[in-house]
Amino acid sequence: MSSVYEQIGGEAAVDAAVDIFYRHVLGDNRISRFFEGVDMETQAQKQKAFLTMAFGGPHNYTGKDMREGHAHLVKQGLNDSHFDAVAENLAKTLKELNVPQNLIDEVMTIAESTREDVLGR
Amino acid sequence: MPAITYEDNSYALGEGESVLDCLAREGHDIPSSCRSGVCHSCMLRATSGELPPAAQKGLKDAHRAQGYFLSCCCHPEGDLTVTRADDATQKVAARVLRKETLNDRVLRVVLETDKPLEYFPGQFVNFARPGGLVRSFSLASVPALGNELEFHVALVLGGSMSGWLHHEAAPGDPLELLGPLGNCFYVSGNPEQPLFMLGTGTGLAPLYGILRDALNQGHRGPIHLFHGALLASDLYLTESLRDLDGKHENFTYHASVRDEPGEDWMEQGAVDTLALKTAPDLKGWKVFLCGNPDLVKQVQRKTFMAGANMKDIHADAFLPAGGG
């Protein structure tokens, strides 16, 4: 059985998804304020790393990285509702790319597993 | 085994080693993070040798064209000479050849170099004067002009370099050039792609270089250049650009003025609003943004939201120099 990452299409799938996902996130009024003043190229690179991880691909993300990377946002009020909004945008992106539902479910499970670290709990 | 040359030392690449592994083993502190080609923090630049395609996957065309690569994913088959990504590779002696007034505040400065500078129009170089003064200026010329390099220099209040260039510099005065640097330039290979170019002030300089480069290389897709100013007198090169507009069917020059009606052929309004009204759907477009840093950042976001891919947006924010 090949990994989710392989089934979903590997790096090419990440490349296809990253701009669509980032555009959804920036266009979402519930969360766009967290991206104000952020360097877009650096952020796009981070989105790519996040998607690679969520797709079950090769990555070096640790829970500690997730915590440290979001700590300043938690101080600004990042909470479950924002995490849910990002997850929603991720699912929407995958649907647009016609990813089969069973794979979307697996990706969402991986994304969900980062919730406590992202929110610093 | 291929040899990796870095800072004048050569190392034999071990079995299965990446360039990053090899340099780290030899005690070089190359920044790295994901080690899987995603984070780009280990990017280096090859100055000679052949790069495997996997080492440049996911990079911007502009980076690829200059030999940048991801050292964690680089397993070369032959020898490579590499440098840090931020090392300026050329140092060229130059002299002031002539100065021309473009408008009340902007001067065209043409420099002549002793030996040819290899560059892409739209990149920038650092001017260095005796005494340690260094400032960055964008290349408005095209390589076809040989050793003559063109720059547009706005007079900055209290600016040491711009003040010297405007008031004192005379033909024959020496300068040292370091560079070229930057990723805001035309890359051939997609001649049908529509191009969106937007600039304010001397942000026109790189765009003027990129535009002429694209036209010289036979670009066939539509090209829109938006130059925005507060007052009509802040615009410059209007005759040359209207002339190019007349000569090339695929090129449209849009001059806009925000705070007054301007001349008949100009548009009035904010340049970004007008530009996005002209080209509301930027899916598949290549975007070049140069000039005022706040505007460049805003338009970067707006053009991305309008459908341009991140990889196709080249933003060159002109940051003010620290301390005069």
Side-chain angles (χ1 to χ4, degrees), chain B residues 1-6 9-26 28 74 76-80:
Chain B
M1 275 291 139
I4 306 302
T5 305
Y6 178 77
N9 290 309
S10 269
Y11 313 107
L13 194 67
E15 186 72 37
E17 264 187 342
S18 67
V19 170
L20 176 63
D21 296 332
C22 171
L23 294 178
R25 162 169 61 80
E26 295 294 338
H28 294 290
C74 186
E77 303 204 340
D79 297 349
L80 274 188

Side-chain angles (χ1 to χ4, degrees), chain B residues 6 31 35 53 88 108 136 141 197 200 219 231 237 242 253 322:
Chain B
Y6 178 77
R35 293 183 172 251
R108 172 190 259 151
S136 305
S141 47
M197 310 167 97
T200 57
H219 193 84
L231 303 173
L237 283 180
R242 292 181 82 185
Y253 167 50

Side-chain angles (χ1 to χ4, degrees), chain B residues 19 42-46 51-52 55-56 59 63 67-74 80-83:
Chain B
V19 170
C42 69
M43 190 153 75
L44 296 176
R45 185 173 177 189
L51 289 166
Q56 294 189 298
L59 297 186
H63 275 139
Y68 288 97
F69 68 99
L70 303 176
S71 57
C72 71
C73 302
C74 186
L80 274 188
T81 303
V82 305
T83 65

Side-chain angles (χ1 to χ4, degrees), chain A residues 11-12 15 18-20 22-24 26-27 32 35-37 39-41 44-45 48-50 52 58-60, chain B residues 33-40 57-58 60 63 297 300-301 303-311 313-315:
Chain A
E11 199 181 337
D15 285 338
V18 68
D19 276 14
I20 300 173
Y22 189 20
R23 208 170 277 128
H24 282 324
L26 281 180
S32 56
F35 297 91
E36 293 296 338
D39 180 83
M40 286 186 72
E41 293 204 22
Q45 218 44 58
K48 197 174 165 185
F50 167 69
T52 305
H59 71 91
N60 273 8
Chain B
S33 175
C34 79
R35 293 183 172 251
S36 47
V38 174
C39 75
H40 291 197
K57 228 174 137 190
K60 281 186 187 255
H63 275 139
K297 273 194 194 135
Q300 183 185 31
R301 186 162 172 156
T303 51
F304 177 67
M305 295 309 277
N309 284 323
M310 270 313 284
K311 259 187 225 161
I313 303 177
H314 299 273

